[in-house]
Amino acid sequence: MPQTARQIAQQWLDDCCDTLARYDHAAHMNLISRRVQVYGVPGFEVIGYDDWHAQCEYEFGKKLIASTCYDGLELLDSGERQIRFATVETVTAVDGTVDSHPIEILLSLEDDGQWRVTEERLLTPVEALQRGIAL
């Protein structure tokens, strides 16, 4: 039976958490499209694949992240090749710092059959509430 959009999104989030927990840089980057665009990060207009790759390589190499989790998956739109959803991402660093923020993610089914994030945007609290995400 084919997976639903919600199942695909949840599996992608689970895979992100798993690759981060194992510090598996190659597997993690396989979840990220080379066309990715990240918006809303303070101090950056847009973050692309190379920036994401370098940041993860540094964080994974130094084992700086203790855990990552996602809560409150809200499906916003879906089609055969794209799924848009919102969730709250919480990253806990090994030094105890916790960074939690609502995000909107666009997954796209790429030509090799892999679902990858092609767009991510940090949401304001108002945008999160509009998308059904409780903070």
Side-chain angles (χ1 to χ4, degrees):
M1 179 163 40
Q3 285 186 305
T4 67
R6 178 174 291 285
Q7 289 170 324
I8 291 167
Q10 186 61 59
Q11 184 62 58
W12 186 88
L13 292 172
D14 292 347
D15 290 347
C16 276
C17 291
D18 176 63
T19 57
L20 287 162
R22 293 183 292 114
Y23 299 110
D24 188 338
H25 185 253
H28 185 73
M29 293 312 299
N30 191 44
L31 301 170
I32 316 304
S33 174
R34 292 198 177 269
R35 302 176 291 126
V36 72
Q37 302 275 289
V38 180
Y39 302 98
V41 177
F44 297 91
E45 188 172 326
V46 178
I47 293 174
Y49 180 87
D50 290 340
D51 301 313
W52 193 320
H53 184 280
Q55 182 67 26
C56 285
E57 189 171 52
Y58 173 77
E59 290 174 349
F60 286 30
K62 300 277 187 188
K63 297 188 172 163
L64 298 177
I65 298 172
S67 67
T68 303
C69 67
Y70 298 93
D71 295 305
L73 171 63
E74 284 295 326
L75 195 60
L76 302 174
D77 190 27
S78 65
E80 285 186 29
R81 299 192 63 85
Q82 291 193 319
I83 301 168
R84 185 176 299 277
F85 63 95
T87 188
V88 175
E89 177 182 62
T90 301
V91 178
T92 303
V94 293
D95 69 2
T97 304
V98 177
D99 183 22
S100 186
H101 49 268
I103 58 176
E104 183 175 298
I105 294 174
L106 176 65
L107 296 182
S108 297
L109 182 60
E110 296 197 328
D111 291 339
D112 65 354
Q114 174 75 37
W115 287 94
R116 292 188 178 91
V117 60
T118 50
E119 185 179 303
E120 183 173 311
R121 194 162 64 83
L122 274 66
L123 301 173
T124 66
V126 170
E127 290 172 322
L129 290 173
Q130 289 171 341
R131 285 159 179 79
I133 298 294
L135 301 177

